Every structure is written in C-alpha cells, then in structure tokens.
C-alpha cells in the first residue's frame, strides 16, 4: 500500500525583512519580520508526500530531479515532524499505522515550484512550509500552525511565515532553543484585499550569493546590521503593524520601501559587498519613486529580496493596471533591460 498527501503553499514577500541569524543551526533571526502571503495558486510550491512499507529509504525530488537529503535542513524538518507523528487510520484503504511504526517507515517527497527556484522569489519559503504542512498531515501531527511554523523555520527562516495567509509576523523570540521563534497571523487574507501584488521577473537566473551565505557574511562584518536590528526594526515593526491594522497605504508603502532599501544597504555594508539588485531593479525603483512623488501620496510600494526581481504592491486594481502600463512603456518587450515577464502575485487584473 501507499498513503499519499498533497499540499500547495504560496510564497510570502517580506515587507519588513529578515536578514541575519543569531543561531545558524536553529535558524533564529536577529530581528522580527513581517510579510504578506500571496494568494494560493500564483507563486507556489506543490508537494506530495507518500509513505509505503515498500520504500527502503527517505527520498526527495525537486522539480523532477532527485536531491540528496543527507544531513540537510530537509532532514531536520522530517525528523521534527516524525518525532510528533501519531496513529493514522485510513479506513477506506484499510491502512493502519501506529505511532510507534513511523520510525521504521520511509517517505518519498516530490515537490514542484511554479516559478524559478532560488532566483530571489522566496522559493525556499513556499517549499519548506509546504513540506512541513504535508508531512504533518500525512503523519497526523496534532501541532497547531504556529508550532508547525517553528519547524518550517528550521528548513528556511522565511518559510515559517508561509504557514499562514494574509499578513504574518515572525516573532524572533528570546529562547536559546528557539521555542518562541515562530509565526503569528496579524490579519487574514480578507483584511486588506484591495492590494494587488505585481512581480516583475527581472532575471530568473539563480542568485549568486545564497541568503544563507549572504546573511552569515553580513552578521560577521556589517555594523549597519547591528544598528538596523537593535534600533530600526523594532520601531518599524510597531509602525507596520499599525499601518496594516488601519489599512494605511501611505505608511505601509513608506515603511516597505525604506525597509527594502535598508536591507540592500546592509548588503552593501557587508564585506565583501553583496549586490542583489541590478540596473533594471534601480530603474524600477526610480519609476515608482517618481510616480509616488508626482501623485503626492504613494500609489505603489516596492520591495526586493535576495535577487533583482521587483515585487510591487499597488494600492488597488486601478493603480495596478496603470503600473503595468507604465512598466510596459518603460521596458517594451524588445528593450535592452532583461525584464522578461510580469507575474501577478495576486488576483488577476
Ligand atoms: C531577503 O529564509 O531564504 O527574503 O533562513 O537562510 O533559508 P535562510 O534564508 P531565507 O532568507 C530570506 C531573506 C529575504 C527576506 C525575508 O524573506 O524576510
């Protein structure tokens, strides 16, 4: 027999960024972060996990290619979920697995991203969140979403925020073991549904410096990071929570853009410096800044993760349509900028 569970998880985009770990093994961050989870179906990972007595060892395929599970973060997530597995009884298939049987059973995991892996579109976030969720379902784990988020965190920090929809905060926590470093939902997906997220895929190439390596170098060398984590982010988190609560787009956009820019400033302050954005990214920032300035109030917020792709959040659908027009005018299909497509990360317009 084979027992199977399939789950789909969208990625999330941080509006107050996580950058820097205080514990690399447990993935404990140096500051809180806040993100918005995309609507299901857009940028997401689909994962099928299966268990069978015929499987001789744990195996995993990512986008059709088998990957090694040896000693990595996948193993950690698998081990954590397995240790919480409960009895499973599938009456229809006549399958009964007792809690104690799980240690002797192996799983096969097949995961697909519907967007470029490791191109700075937070693929690891959707990936680990989906893995933990699917394994939790398969093994009938009783933990709630927040507790599951603390497991997904150990796969990839940003993954803990994809266990929830809407606006999500990853609380950095104080405990050395990381028990209080988990995600909580600030507002559900209906709270501010006028917002439209547009992602401009500037490059779908794999990023040159992985988040993990980049963060390590930043923690070791950047003084600006210490200032950011201690002085700037704690105040910004409070303001961002208030902006989200009040659906205050002006504050939301200002905080989002400033935080993205400070994150990239911290990357530049790292030795050796890390460049995630390129000329096209900078042109997109100028376009949005000029537009916001000419309107008197922000219409669009931008944010960039560990890659050149732009994530833009428009205040409503009308603005999103205008934004697309402006982008297409500035970067016509045959322009020299290597901007190849726009992905609507939210409801289509
Ligand atoms: C820039 O979660 O990919 O997207 O914990 O090392 O796996 P690891 O890093 P990861 O870093 C994401 C960094 C970011 C900002 C964010 O999502 O908050």
């Amino acid at each position: 027999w084979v027992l199977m569970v399939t789950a789909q998880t969208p990625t999330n985009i941080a509006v107050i960024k996580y950058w820097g770990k205080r514990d690399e093994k447990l993935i404990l961050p140096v500051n809180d972060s806040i993100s918005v989870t995309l609507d299901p179906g857009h940028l997401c990972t689909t994962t099928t996990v299966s268990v069978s007595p015929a499987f001789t060892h744990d195996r995993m395929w990512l986008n059709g290619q088998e990957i090694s599970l040896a000693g990595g973060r996948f193993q950690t997530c698998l081990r954590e979920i397995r240790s919480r597995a409960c009895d499973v009884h599938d009456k229809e298939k006549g399958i009964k697995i007792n809690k104690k049987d799980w240690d002797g059973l192996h799983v096969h995991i097949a995961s697909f991203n519907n967007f470029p892996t490791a191109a700075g579109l937070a693929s690891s976030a959707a990936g680990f969140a989906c893995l933990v969720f699917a394994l939790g379902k398969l093994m009938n784990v009783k933990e709630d979403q927040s507790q599951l988020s603390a497991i997904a965190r150990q796969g990839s920090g940003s993954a803990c925020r994809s266990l929830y929809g809407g606006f999500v905060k990853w609380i950095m926590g104080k405990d050395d073991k990381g028990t209080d470093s988990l995600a909580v939902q600030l507002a559900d997906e209906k709270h501010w549904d006028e917002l439209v997220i547009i992602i401009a895929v500037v490059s779908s190439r794999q990023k040159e410096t992985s988040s993990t390596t980049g963060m390590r170098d930043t923690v070791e060398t950047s003084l600006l990071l210490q200032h950011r984590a201690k002085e700037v982010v704690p105040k910004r988190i409070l303001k961002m929570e208030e902006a989200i609560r009040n659906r205050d787009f002006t504050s939301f956009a200002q905080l989002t853009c400033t935080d993205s820019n400070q994150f990239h400033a911290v990357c530049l302050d790292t030795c050796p410096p890390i460049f995630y954005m390129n000329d096209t990214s900078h042109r997109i920032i100028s376009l949005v800044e000029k537009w916001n300035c000419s309107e008197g109030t922000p219409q669009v917020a931008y944010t960039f993760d560990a890659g050149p792709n732009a994530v833009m959040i428009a205040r409503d659908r009308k603005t999103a349509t205008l934004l697309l027009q402006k982008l297409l005018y500035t970067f016509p299909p045959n322009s020299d900028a290597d901007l190849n497509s726009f992905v609507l990360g939210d409801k289509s317009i």
Side-chain angles (χ1 to χ4, degrees), residues 12-19 21 27 33-35 73 120 122-125 128 153 155-159 161 170 207 210-213 215 263-264 276 304-307:
N12 71 75
I13 305 294
V15 289
I16 302 290
K17 306 286 184 200
Y18 143 56
W19 195 255
K21 300 179 180 76
I27 311 201
S33 53
I34 294 181
S35 61
R73 295 168 171 197
S123 56
S124 63
F128 280 103
R153 186 202 77 225
S156 180
S158 53
R161 299 183 310 235
W170 173 11
K207 56 196 173 199
S210 75
S211 304
T212 309
T213 318
M215 273 186 218
F263 153 53
H264 289 277
Y276 283 127
F304 294 79
D305 280 337

Side-chain angles (χ1 to χ4, degrees), residues 254-266:
Q254 275 159 356
L255 291 163
T256 300
C257 299
T258 313
D259 199 70
S260 170
N261 291 333
Q262 190 181 58
F263 153 53
H264 289 277
V266 159

